[in-house]
Amino acid sequence: MKPFGILAVLLFGLAAATTWAAQKPRARDLGVPFDGTPGPLNAITDVKGVEVGHTTLISGSGKLVVGKGPVRTGVTAVFPRGRDSLDPVFGGWFSLNGNGEMTGTTWLEESGVLDGPVMITNTHSVGVVRDAVIAWRIRKAPPDDEGYSWSLPIVAETADDGLNDMNGFHVKPEHVYHALDSAHGGAVEEGNVGGGTGMVCNEFKGGIGTSSRVLPEKLGGYTVGVLVQCNYGRRSQLRIAGVPVGREIPDKTVRDEDIGSIIIVVATDAPLIPTQLKRLARRAALGLGRDGSFAGDGSGDIFIAFSTANPGAIASKGVRDMKMLPNQQLNPVFLATVQATEEAIVNAMVAAETMKGANDLEVIALPHDRLREVLKKYNRLVE
Amino acid sequence: MKPFGILAVLLFGLAAATTWAAQKPRARDLGVPFDGTPGPLNAITDVKGVEVGHTTLISGSGKLVVGKGPVRTGVTAVFPRGRDSLDPVFGGWFSLNGNGEMTGTTWLEESGVLDGPVMITNTHSVGVVRDAVIAWRIRKAPPDDEGYSWSLPIVAETADDGLNDMNGFHVKPEHVYHALDSAHGGAVEEGNVGGGTGMVCNEFKGGIGTSSRVLPEKLGGYTVGVLVQCNYGRRSQLRIAGVPVGREIPDKTVRDEDIGSIIIVVATDAPLIPTQLKRLARRAALGLGRDGSFAGDGSGDIFIAFSTANPGAIASKGVRDMKMLPNQQLNPVFLATVQATEEAIVNAMVAAETMKGANDLEVIALPHDRLREVLKKYNRLVE
Amino acid sequence: MKPFGILAVLLFGLAAATTWAAQKPRARDLGVPFDGTPGPLNAITDVKGVEVGHTTLISGSGKLVVGKGPVRTGVTAVFPRGRDSLDPVFGGWFSLNGNGEMTGTTWLEESGVLDGPVMITNTHSVGVVRDAVIAWRIRKAPPDDEGYSWSLPIVAETADDGLNDMNGFHVKPEHVYHALDSAHGGAVEEGNVGGGTGMVCNEFKGGIGTSSRVLPEKLGGYTVGVLVQCNYGRRSQLRIAGVPVGREIPDKTVRDEDIGSIIIVVATDAPLIPTQLKRLARRAALGLGRDGSFAGDGSGDIFIAFSTANPGAIASKGVRDMKMLPNQQLNPVFLATVQATEEAIVNAMVAAETMKGANDLEVIALPHDRLREVLKKYNRLVE
Amino acid sequence: MKPFGILAVLLFGLAAATTWAAQKPRARDLGVPFDGTPGPLNAITDVKGVEVGHTTLISGSGKLVVGKGPVRTGVTAVFPRGRDSLDPVFGGWFSLNGNGEMTGTTWLEESGVLDGPVMITNTHSVGVVRDAVIAWRIRKAPPDDEGYSWSLPIVAETADDGLNDMNGFHVKPEHVYHALDSAHGGAVEEGNVGGGTGMVCNEFKGGIGTSSRVLPEKLGGYTVGVLVQCNYGRRSQLRIAGVPVGREIPDKTVRDEDIGSIIIVVATDAPLIPTQLKRLARRAALGLGRDGSFAGDGSGDIFIAFSTANPGAIASKGVRDMKMLPNQQLNPVFLATVQATEEAIVNAMVAAETMKGANDLEVIALPHDRLREVLKKYNRLVE
């Protein structure tokens, strides 16, 4: 086995590349039909202020030796207000099937407040990522007026133990710092990057995917952005745009059981309070349902939503003024969440490339041409 | 307006007719493709012991006069172990969007036990149904060993205020007793019956629908049955078997907003404990998602699941012996729940017939021929 | 049995009497030590806008004949903004032990909004009260801008089946209307009134109790008010001001098991959002804990909290401006909730008078002189 | 500053001493009155199979230098079936106030199953403890039949940033392994040990405390054991046995705000299913309430309960036979939980000794003689 540090370092830098998105087709480019109007980037970063950073670790090949590799993993950071802001946001979460971890949710549920980034990594690296986020915050700035830094970070995971030496604990604090420090607006890298590096989705190669929707001005003009780390599903269940794509492309399946997971992050600039953001998080389940999931027992299907509205409103002094969109006006925001989730998952599969990992396991990419053929067969191809 | 009592009485008796099912096509008969293997009746009553009773109230026509009619409403009763059993079952529930009522859920959540039938009616008749269930139980038998009768009944609702004089409070205790007393196994009436009489689903006529799945013996041979009272959705969102049926049949829509609701009852004979039944209830959301719902703000999307296994196990004396299916074996049960929910909703629309109600509002049935044409257009018609 | 209508009518009128409070000692008057500063009325009505109405039904005596009596029951209505307001409030709830009913909580949990009064009655009259609240609202005013009236009322209960013919369903719609129509600010009737008429608390006579706390100006000057319908507890566990009063006064106990319940309503004018009101509701458990409860299996210990701040903010049009007190400033509000709950329960027992009910069951009042003796024995009497 | 490694190593070994308990008085020894009958050890280890291990890290003194110390922290491990068992247990949890972390609860809530130990440490070491538990499990034994090891460990925390250099991240994987490897039955070390080393409780020195109750045979003969890591509360609120001890001993308080937390672990051998264990966890709140807590905004009051009954029942193959105690028989178990929690907290304060930590902050022990005087003043001293 070759020393894997070299490739890892190479890939490290790549994560910040912003010219990336133009080079690869996305689901819409292939003619997959989706409803609603995406934002300019069709990404979570269409929500102003949101920044995403990845650290991608790929090294080694062949037989798995615990602690040695092969390594196919990483870390993804999503900052609601950008990496330089210490201003918290309102948030809410939902667990469709909780065979997974998202630290920090007990306080999120209690307070309705999300203080810091949302981190996503592999199952066995949640701890190192969590403590590293705290250490990064301590170094970054003094505690807030109340004497607090971030102590209860949000860290979620899905398992990459098929392709990756997950028991080797290859994510280190410096990888976490890199994901945090390299977070940026603009186009978001998709596929085999960040926390999504070694993930498998509907028995195709999965990973990170994103999408967005922009509402008409008369409905408020709000943006909803979604980012997924996609690792769920059995091939036979996969539907894309309602078409039974999974059954039509039964090649090279890799699982007996639905043992994967999906983390879904929903961002919006609509002025929503925590109760409403829990509602948004729950809608992600319906987008996932459209793509065919039945949320298997082994799945950690955990969703989080936040609003970038009301900057400065969640302070500790005095009574705060804030804005709220009434419940009766949430339908367009709900529908946008379902639609962007449906599309972000497909984007993850479209972007991910065939990967060979631990013990030479190969997980194939969703073949773009075959996808187009199937959509055409069912009269759903957009040409 | 004609005296509405006469027609109501006529329809009263009809509810118990068991020859009904053979006379009308169901979704499968029309060529709609569904996954999985249904039970002999393709109904919730395929779960042994489950009995369903309806009272259907239809009378009057023309302009709505509060308290006079027109009346298009009713009551549906679902008994887990049949109407003569006082033996409780384990249960669990989930609210996907709680703009609705399901009484009794606080105790269900606390105890994991469902004691009595699940009742479904219109929004403004929940109270009368609740108290009437208590009265019926008191008359039926003495309290249990602990001195308890049923005091916290499960009563759910959706709103039929479009077609029905809902503010006229036309459901009376005797209508509740009739639904309870007429509950039976065998084929289940669908469409404009019982609590579903005046309901609207995706802007087609909705109502009661049901479906079931039977697992292969090697997966336990369990049955999962679903019954829905279907009143949700906007036409433009409706998908059937993944096909955008709603957009293809845009005729005669009746709503500006998603203000409807859906109650979903999931029954199984798999030996599940309450924690697991909550998981089942949550899967109903994924079946609903397949049919296109985004769970609008005005929607009361509330789901309940119970297991008829472990008869006699929930007694008050001594330590009880019981059976449990381990979590790791739940995937087939989960998938069956998603599939049966997806189909039950379509069955409701297929069975319901065009209805004219209050103020001559007409809600059209899903046109069977058009449905077949659309499925064919998208290469999804089973012929 | 005497016709019970006469006494019922008499008591009907009494409920609105506002000179009542001056005539009976409350817990503080007896020398029970409590922490914190109560408002001028030491009642939930110290929160501006809150109005309380009772209907008290007492008639008949001797042997219980179902449907005939004796009757010892009633209805209590708590309006957040007064009975003439249709402006909703933010709210939240918590079930410490859910062997009880509080209708409307599914929507309260989903929306964070409480629309209408909080009603409390006996277990078997929840349905009639619920539907009557809807009917009252329909008569009162046209639907709101969105076309809605109240359809999902909050109705809670505790069981008075010891003293009352609960299976006789003696609460009728007109009793509900009376409680609603007679709601008023000012002093709140306590003890054997309204929904609390036939209740038993720690095996003393229980019923309605109330208390309040006012915060110093530097902590915001907010008021927290609590009203309880108190029907819980075993004598042996009762603590008052930390003193084992229950063991010291073991006379005439009436229960083998903890089968009672308690409903706790918390009101405040602090500008809290729904997430925060759920936190307030949870604090009621700690006040109840101070009085010795262990929340028995049979207990329906269900708590609701609302904020009268932000009038007009929960409308359906446009984006709303509102105020919020940051989480970091909630400690005084939390402590006030615990203290007011602790005191409201004792006030209920102090106000309630010995009652003889069905089958001549007699439940004694907490003897005031004995209470003082016990407090003195433990050096806790305030003289 | 002296090298702190030396003292740390010394204390490392001490944690396993089993002769410890005999040497220090506990709350009962001082004459504090408690209800109910404790087990032989009056400890969580009275529940057969439960084992507890501590790693205690104390080193350095004087001015805090981040990363250098002083160090006053540690790790505590609680194994439901002993450290050599890989057999999971049923469990449930409750967050009274979620300003804290307990990882693994999303899966606990979903599955009802607790797989591995419950770990407790300081707030900023949750991550390292989590990943180390996974690593320890991987080394210990091969994956289970389904291919799983422990991937979602339960790790809880309270903050010791007053006395400890919490931002120095002094807990290392080897400290976690030591707590796991040294877990034992028998007497449990209390006070300044393990995760509780640097904790503060009601502004006295806090830490680890434990207690138990044994039910009479006619009530099933079950044992309930509680272990707390006690770091909550403001002095003025402290009640012991109902007596306002906090106000009577106002010396040397150290906090302006309620910013502490408490983790409560409840163990029982009663055959309870997950739904019932959630109920048990909720009762811990009432025990905490008896000691005067109002659950301040800054408090992470998170409770977990498990049952050691049904060994071998939570396997992945076939249908399992299990036992369940009906809900109607839970009252004695509930009461035992409240009582043991109330006592475990007082035991923590009685055992903890005055500690000087970071920046020479000194937190005094609850003075035993003063406690006795105050109890005597209020006629509550057991002599």
Side-chain angles (χ1 to χ4, degrees):
Chain A
M1 191 197 291
K2 287 188 286 183
F4 55 83
I6 295 169
L7 185 50
V9 167
L10 284 176
L11 283 153
F12 230 81
L14 190 64
T18 54
T19 55
W20 172 93
Q23 300 165 355
K24 292 170 69 174
R26 304 180 74 192
R28 284 173 182 259
D29 301 325
L30 300 179
V32 182
F34 294 108
D35 301 330
T37 304
L41 299 162
N42 195 10
I44 195 171
T45 43
D46 283 323
V47 179
K48 195 179 164 189
V50 174
E51 293 181 357
V52 177
H54 296 301
T55 297
T56 304
L57 301 173
I58 300 179
S59 66
S61 62
K63 188 167 164 22
L64 185 150
V65 181
V66 173
K68 299 286 186 181
V71 179
R72 303 285 186 276
T73 196
V75 184
T76 292
V78 181
F79 283 95
R81 298 193 197 277
R83 68 174 192 264
D84 292 327
S85 173
L86 297 175
D87 187 14
V89 292
F90 284 132
W93 76 297
F94 174 60
S95 172
L96 174 65
N97 192 62
N99 204 333
E101 179 65 82
M102 185 183 277
T103 68
T105 49
T106 301
W107 180 228
L108 176 61
E109 179 75 19
E110 180 77 35
S111 67
V113 173
L114 173 55
D115 198 5
V118 176
M119 308 297 293
I120 324 179
T121 186
N122 77 64
T123 310
H124 288 186
S125 296
V126 166
V128 63
V129 173
R130 180 196 183 276
D131 293 355
V133 168
I134 296 173
W136 186 84
R137 169 64 181 83
I138 290 169
R139 290 191 323 201
K140 187 177 180 69
D144 66 20
D145 292 349
E146 301 289 299
Y148 289 109
S149 295
W150 303 334
S151 288
L152 303 167
I154 301 279
V155 187
E157 55 68 46
T158 63
D160 51 20
D161 54 338
L163 292 165
N164 179 48
D165 171 26
M166 192 168 80
N167 290 345
F169 300 96
H170 295 282
V171 175
K172 304 299 179 190
E174 56 267 30
H175 303 138
V176 183
Y177 304 151
H178 178 266
L180 293 164
D181 288 327
S182 67
H184 58 86
V188 173
E189 302 79 359
E190 292 180 306
N192 302 350
V193 295
T197 301
M199 301 301 159
V200 178
C201 187
N202 293 296
E203 307 182 67
F204 291 120
K205 185 67 189 64
I208 300 293
T210 190
S211 182
S212 71
R213 290 296 181 275
V214 179
L215 302 185
E217 279 306 315
K218 66 171 183 174
L219 299 176
Y222 304 114
T223 298
V224 174
V226 169
L227 181 143
V228 303
Q229 178 165 309
C230 179
N231 192 44
Y232 82 97
R234 210 179 291 176
R235 181 76 60 81
S236 58
Q237 301 304 317
L238 174 62
R239 296 182 183 190
I240 293 181
V243 170
V245 169
R247 297 199 182 167
E248 295 285 341
I249 313 178
D251 325 33
K252 296 193 180 173
T253 58
V254 292
R255 280 178 178 156
D256 289 335
E257 286 291 323
D258 185 320
I259 54 166
S261 299
I262 184 165
I263 300 298
I264 303 179
V265 183
V266 182
T268 188
D269 55 3
L272 305 185
I273 63 172
T275 309
Q276 297 173 319
L277 290 160
K278 291 176 68 172
R279 305 180 76 186
L280 234 62
R282 228 176 294 134
R283 264 66 192 176
L286 295 169
L288 180 61
R290 290 184 173 192
D291 289 334
S293 171
F294 66 92
D297 170 67
S299 207
D301 299 343
I302 310 180
F303 317 143
I304 188 169
F306 59 79
S307 164
T308 60
N310 289 310
I314 310 164
S316 57
K317 304 295 183 199
V319 175
R320 313 307 301 183
D321 288 303
M322 37 178 291
K323 303 280 184 186
M324 182 187 69
L325 192 65
N327 282 321
Q328 294 92 324
Q329 295 178 52
L330 290 183
N331 276 348
V333 185
F334 287 168
L335 184 54
T337 303
V338 175
Q339 291 172 344
T341 301
E342 182 186 9
E343 183 169 354
I345 293 167
V346 183
N347 277 340
M349 288 184 287
V350 165
E353 294 165 351
T354 297
M355 178 179 275
K356 190 177 282 191
N359 298 318
D360 290 326
L361 174 69
E362 186 179 78
V363 180
I364 62 164
L366 171 63
H368 295 186
D369 51 347
R370 297 280 295 282
L371 172 59
R372 289 172 57 85
E373 285 166 25
V374 175
L375 290 173
K376 186 158 196 169
K377 174 177 172 184
Y378 290 96
N379 199 15
R380 291 287 273 159
L381 183 66
V382 179
E383 287 181 290
Chain B
M1 191 197 290
K2 286 189 286 183
F4 56 81
I6 295 169
L7 184 51
V9 168
L10 283 174
L11 283 153
F12 230 79
L14 190 65
T18 54
T19 56
W20 172 92
Q23 300 165 354
K24 291 168 69 174
R26 303 181 75 192
R28 284 174 182 259
D29 301 325
L30 299 180
V32 183
F34 294 108
D35 301 331
T37 305
L41 298 163
N42 194 14
I44 195 171
T45 43
D46 284 322
V47 178
K48 196 179 164 188
V50 175
E51 293 181 357
V52 178
H54 296 300
T55 298
T56 303
L57 301 173
I58 300 178
S59 66
S61 63
K63 188 166 163 23
L64 185 149
V65 180
V66 173
K68 299 288 184 179
V71 179
R72 303 285 186 274
T73 197
V75 183
T76 291
V78 181
F79 282 96
R81 300 194 196 279
R83 68 173 191 265
D84 292 327
S85 174
L86 297 175
D87 187 14
V89 292
F90 283 133
W93 77 297
F94 173 61
S95 172
L96 174 64
N97 192 62
N99 204 334
E101 180 65 82
M102 186 182 276
T103 68
T105 49
T106 301
W107 180 228
L108 177 61
E109 179 75 20
E110 179 79 35
S111 67
V113 173
L114 173 56
D115 199 6
V118 176
M119 308 297 292
I120 324 179
T121 187
N122 76 64
T123 310
H124 288 186
S125 296
V126 165
V128 63
V129 173
R130 179 195 183 275
D131 293 355
V133 168
I134 296 174
W136 185 84
R137 169 65 182 82
I138 290 169
R139 291 189 323 199
K140 188 178 180 70
D144 67 19
D145 291 349
E146 300 289 301
Y148 290 109
S149 296
W150 304 334
S151 289
L152 302 168
I154 302 278
V155 186
E157 55 69 45
T158 62
D160 52 20
D161 53 338
L163 292 165
N164 179 47
D165 171 24
M166 191 167 82
N167 290 344
F169 300 97
H170 295 282
V171 175
K172 305 296 178 192
E174 57 267 29
H175 303 139
V176 182
Y177 305 150
H178 178 266
L180 293 164
D181 287 327
S182 67
H184 58 87
V188 173
E189 302 79 358
E190 293 180 307
N192 302 349
V193 295
T197 301
M199 301 301 160
V200 179
C201 188
N202 294 296
E203 306 181 67
F204 291 120
K205 185 65 190 65
I208 301 292
T210 189
S211 181
S212 71
R213 292 295 181 275
V214 178
L215 302 185
E217 278 306 317
K218 67 170 183 175
L219 299 176
Y222 303 115
T223 298
V224 174
V226 169
L227 181 142
V228 304
Q229 178 165 310
C230 180
N231 192 43
Y232 81 96
R234 209 179 292 176
R235 181 76 59 79
S236 58
Q237 301 303 318
L238 174 62
R239 296 182 182 190
I240 293 181
V243 170
V245 169
R247 297 197 183 171
E248 296 285 341
I249 314 178
D251 324 34
K252 295 192 183 173
T253 57
V254 292
R255 279 177 179 156
D256 290 334
E257 286 292 322
D258 185 321
I259 54 165
S261 299
I262 184 165
I263 300 298
I264 304 179
V265 183
V266 182
T268 187
D269 56 2
L272 305 186
I273 63 173
T275 310
Q276 297 173 319
L277 290 159
K278 291 176 68 170
R279 305 182 75 187
L280 235 61
R282 227 175 296 136
R283 264 67 192 176
L286 295 169
L288 180 61
R290 289 183 174 194
D291 289 334
S293 171
F294 65 93
D297 170 67
S299 207
D301 298 343
I302 311 181
F303 316 143
I304 187 168
F306 58 80
S307 164
T308 61
N310 290 309
I314 310 165
S316 58
K317 305 293 183 199
V319 175
R320 313 308 300 182
D321 289 303
M322 37 178 292
K323 304 278 185 186
M324 182 188 70
L325 192 65
N327 282 321
Q328 295 92 325
Q329 294 178 54
L330 289 184
N331 276 347
V333 185
F334 286 168
L335 184 54
T337 304
V338 175
Q339 292 172 344
T341 302
E342 183 186 9
E343 184 169 354
I345 293 167
V346 183
N347 277 339
M349 288 184 286
V350 165
E353 293 165 352
T354 297
M355 178 177 277
K356 190 178 283 190
N359 298 318
D360 289 325
L361 174 70
E362 186 180 79
V363 180
I364 62 166
L366 171 63
H368 295 186
D369 51 348
R370 297 280 296 281
L371 172 60
R372 288 173 56 85
E373 285 166 24
V374 174
L375 290 171
K376 186 156 196 170
K377 172 178 173 184
Y378 288 96
N379 199 15
R380 291 286 274 158
L381 183 66
V382 180
E383 287 180 290
Chain C
M1 190 197 288
K2 288 188 284 183
F4 55 82
I6 294 169
L7 185 50
V9 167
L10 283 174
L11 283 153
F12 231 79
L14 189 65
T18 54
T19 56
W20 173 92
Q23 300 166 354
K24 290 170 69 174
R26 304 180 74 192
R28 284 174 182 259
D29 301 325
L30 299 179
V32 182
F34 294 108
D35 301 330
T37 306
L41 298 163
N42 195 11
I44 195 171
T45 43
D46 284 322
V47 179
K48 195 179 163 188
V50 174
E51 294 181 357
V52 178
H54 296 300
T55 298
T56 304
L57 301 174
I58 300 179
S59 66
S61 62
K63 188 165 163 25
L64 185 151
V65 180
V66 173
K68 299 287 186 181
V71 179
R72 304 285 186 275
T73 196
V75 184
T76 292
V78 180
F79 283 96
R81 298 194 197 278
R83 69 175 191 262
D84 291 327
S85 173
L86 297 174
D87 186 15
V89 292
F90 283 132
W93 76 296
F94 174 61
S95 171
L96 175 64
N97 192 61
N99 204 334
E101 180 66 81
M102 185 183 279
T103 67
T105 49
T106 301
W107 180 228
L108 176 61
E109 179 75 19
E110 180 78 35
S111 67
V113 173
L114 172 56
D115 199 6
V118 176
M119 307 297 294
I120 325 178
T121 185
N122 77 64
T123 310
H124 288 187
S125 297
V126 165
V128 63
V129 173
R130 180 195 182 277
D131 293 355
V133 168
I134 296 174
W136 186 84
R137 169 65 182 81
I138 291 169
R139 291 190 322 200
K140 188 177 179 70
D144 66 19
D145 291 350
E146 300 289 300
Y148 290 109
S149 295
W150 305 334
S151 289
L152 303 168
I154 301 279
V155 187
E157 55 69 46
T158 63
D160 51 20
D161 54 338
L163 292 165
N164 179 47
D165 171 25
M166 191 167 80
N167 289 346
F169 300 97
H170 296 282
V171 175
K172 304 299 178 192
E174 56 266 30
H175 303 138
V176 183
Y177 305 150
H178 178 267
L180 293 165
D181 287 327
S182 67
H184 58 86
V188 173
E189 302 79 359
E190 292 180 306
N192 302 351
V193 294
T197 301
M199 301 300 159
V200 179
C201 187
N202 293 296
E203 306 181 67
F204 290 120
K205 185 68 189 65
I208 301 293
T210 190
S211 181
S212 71
R213 292 295 181 275
V214 178
L215 302 185
E217 279 305 317
K218 66 170 183 174
L219 298 177
Y222 303 114
T223 299
V224 175
V226 169
L227 180 143
V228 303
Q229 179 165 309
C230 179
N231 192 44
Y232 81 97
R234 210 179 291 176
R235 180 77 58 82
S236 58
Q237 301 303 318
L238 174 62
R239 297 183 182 189
I240 293 180
V243 171
V245 169
R247 297 198 183 171
E248 295 285 341
I249 314 178
D251 325 35
K252 297 193 181 171
T253 59
V254 291
R255 281 178 177 155
D256 289 336
E257 286 292 322
D258 184 320
I259 54 165
S261 300
I262 184 166
I263 300 298
I264 304 179
V265 182
V266 182
T268 187
D269 55 4
L272 304 185
I273 63 172
T275 310
Q276 296 173 319
L277 289 160
K278 290 177 68 171
R279 306 181 75 187
L280 234 62
R282 228 176 294 135
R283 264 66 193 177
L286 295 169
L288 180 61
R290 289 183 173 193
D291 290 334
S293 171
F294 66 93
D297 170 67
S299 207
D301 299 342
I302 311 180
F303 317 143
I304 189 168
F306 59 79
S307 164
T308 59
N310 288 309
I314 310 164
S316 58
K317 304 295 182 198
V319 175
R320 312 309 302 182
D321 289 302
M322 37 178 292
K323 304 278 184 186
M324 182 187 70
L325 192 66
N327 282 321
Q328 295 92 326
Q329 295 177 52
L330 290 184
N331 276 347
V333 184
F334 287 168
L335 184 54
T337 304
V338 175
Q339 291 172 345
T341 302
E342 182 186 10
E343 183 168 355
I345 293 167
V346 183
N347 277 340
M349 288 184 287
V350 166
E353 293 165 353
T354 297
M355 178 178 276
K356 190 177 283 190
N359 298 318
D360 289 327
L361 173 68
E362 186 180 79
V363 181
I364 62 165
L366 171 63
H368 294 185
D369 52 347
R370 297 280 296 281
L371 172 60
R372 288 173 56 85
E373 284 166 24
V374 175
L375 289 173
K376 185 157 197 169
K377 174 177 172 185
Y378 289 96
N379 197 16
R380 290 286 275 158
L381 183 66
V382 179
E383 286 180 292
Chain D
M1 191 197 290
K2 286 190 285 184
F4 57 82
I6 296 169
L7 184 52
V9 168
L10 283 175
L11 282 154
F12 229 80
L14 189 64
T18 55
T19 55
W20 173 90
Q23 299 165 355
K24 290 169 69 173
R26 303 181 74 192
R28 283 172 183 261
D29 301 325
L30 300 179
V32 183
F34 294 107
D35 301 329
T37 305
L41 299 163
N42 194 11
I44 194 171
T45 43
D46 284 322
V47 179
K48 195 178 164 189
V50 174
E51 293 181 357
V52 177
H54 295 301
T55 298
T56 303
L57 300 174
I58 299 178
S59 67
S61 62
K63 187 166 163 19
L64 185 150
V65 181
V66 173
K68 299 287 185 179
V71 179
R72 304 285 187 275
T73 196
V75 184
T76 291
V78 180
F79 282 96
R81 298 194 196 278
R83 68 173 192 265
D84 291 327
S85 173
L86 297 176
D87 187 14
V89 291
F90 283 132
W93 76 297
F94 173 61
S95 171
L96 175 64
N97 192 62
N99 204 334
E101 180 65 82
M102 185 183 276
T103 68
T105 48
T106 302
W107 180 228
L108 176 61
E109 179 75 19
E110 180 79 35
S111 68
V113 173
L114 172 56
D115 197 6
V118 176
M119 308 297 293
I120 325 178
T121 186
N122 76 63
T123 309
H124 288 187
S125 296
V126 165
V128 63
V129 173
R130 180 195 183 276
D131 293 355
V133 168
I134 296 174
W136 185 84
R137 169 64 182 82
I138 291 168
R139 290 190 323 202
K140 187 177 180 71
D144 67 20
D145 291 350
E146 300 290 299
Y148 290 110
S149 296
W150 304 334
S151 289
L152 303 168
I154 301 279
V155 187
E157 54 69 46
T158 62
D160 52 19
D161 54 338
L163 292 165
N164 179 48
D165 171 26
M166 192 167 80
N167 290 345
F169 299 96
H170 295 281
V171 174
K172 304 297 180 191
E174 57 267 29
H175 303 139
V176 182
Y177 304 150
H178 178 266
L180 293 163
D181 288 327
S182 67
H184 58 86
V188 173
E189 302 79 358
E190 292 179 307
N192 303 349
V193 296
T197 301
M199 301 301 159
V200 179
C201 188
N202 293 297
E203 306 182 66
F204 290 120
K205 186 67 189 66
I208 300 293
T210 190
S211 181
S212 71
R213 292 296 181 274
V214 179
L215 302 185
E217 278 306 316
K218 67 171 181 172
L219 298 177
Y222 304 115
T223 299
V224 175
V226 169
L227 181 141
V228 303
Q229 178 165 309
C230 179
N231 192 44
Y232 80 97
R234 210 179 293 176
R235 180 76 60 81
S236 57
Q237 301 304 318
L238 174 62
R239 296 182 183 192
I240 293 181
V243 170
V245 169
R247 298 201 182 167
E248 295 284 341
I249 315 179
D251 324 34
K252 295 192 182 173
T253 57
V254 292
R255 279 177 181 159
D256 288 335
E257 286 292 323
D258 185 320
I259 55 165
S261 299
I262 184 164
I263 300 298
I264 303 179
V265 183
V266 182
T268 186
D269 56 3
L272 305 185
I273 63 173
T275 310
Q276 297 173 319
L277 289 159
K278 291 176 66 170
R279 305 180 76 186
L280 235 62
R282 227 174 296 135
R283 264 67 192 175
L286 294 169
L288 179 61
R290 289 184 173 192
D291 290 334
S293 171
F294 66 92
D297 170 68
S299 206
D301 299 343
I302 310 180
F303 317 144
I304 188 168
F306 60 79
S307 164
T308 60
N310 289 308
I314 309 164
S316 58
K317 305 295 184 200
V319 175
R320 314 307 301 182
D321 289 303
M322 37 178 293
K323 304 279 185 186
M324 182 188 69
L325 192 66
N327 283 321
Q328 295 91 326
Q329 295 177 53
L330 290 184
N331 276 347
V333 185
F334 286 168
L335 184 54
T337 303
V338 175
Q339 292 172 344
T341 301
E342 182 187 8
E343 182 168 355
I345 292 168
V346 183
N347 276 340
M349 288 184 286
V350 166
E353 292 164 353
T354 297
M355 177 178 277
K356 190 178 283 191
N359 298 319
D360 289 326
L361 174 69
E362 186 180 79
V363 179
I364 63 165
L366 171 64
H368 295 186
D369 52 347
R370 297 280 295 282
L371 172 60
R372 289 173 56 86
E373 284 166 23
V374 174
L375 291 172
K376 185 156 196 170
K377 173 178 172 184
Y378 289 96
N379 198 15
R380 291 287 274 157
L381 184 65
V382 179
E383 286 180 290

